[in-house]
Amino acid sequence: MGEPVQLGTVKEIEKEFRVGRRVLARLADIGVIERVRPSPFQSMYYFADIAAFLERTRTDPAFWSSVRREAYLNGPSPQDASLRL
């Protein structure tokens, strides 16, 4: 696994954590993890963000509250775009 501040491409993150690109994009869209976009067609994520997210979901059974679940499944609405869960 990379250093805590190391960025990984979608492919690298998928390989390391077994989390798909669509899941990563949705998590970034709702503000759970940070996405870096060095170009319009490339997304990168921090290894530490993904590891912390996975640990948080493992240790906090209430992580997927109804608000988070709804945002993940249906996408954030324009009214809630500034809301970070």
Side-chain angles (χ1 to χ4, degrees), residues 39-61:
S39 74
F41 303 106
Q42 183 180 21
S43 294
M44 299 179 83
Y45 302 92
Y46 289 100
F47 282 91
D49 278 357
I50 308 303
F53 164 73
L54 292 174
E55 179 63 20
R56 198 166 156 202
T57 59
R58 186 184 71 77
T59 59
D60 182 8

Side-chain angles (χ1 to χ4, degrees), residues 9-81:
T9 64
V10 172
K11 256 185 158 170
E12 293 169 336
I13 297 294
E14 283 179 322
K15 183 179 177 184
E16 184 69 36
F17 294 104
R18 305 283 193 247
V19 177
R21 67 182 62 237
R22 288 184 181 164
V23 173
L24 292 170
R26 282 185 172 200
L27 292 173
D29 288 345
I30 66 171
V32 175
I33 60 173
E34 186 178 350
R35 173 177 37 210
V36 177
R37 306 230 31 202
S39 74
F41 303 106
Q42 183 180 21
S43 294
M44 299 179 83
Y45 302 92
Y46 289 100
F47 282 91
D49 278 357
I50 308 303
F53 164 73
L54 292 174
E55 179 63 20
R56 198 166 156 202
T57 59
R58 186 184 71 77
T59 59
D60 182 8
F63 176 82
W64 284 109
S65 65
S66 60
V67 173
R68 280 194 182 108
R69 189 172 35 255
E70 184 67 26
Y72 177 81
L73 294 174
N74 299 318
S77 68
Q79 296 83 10
D80 299 333

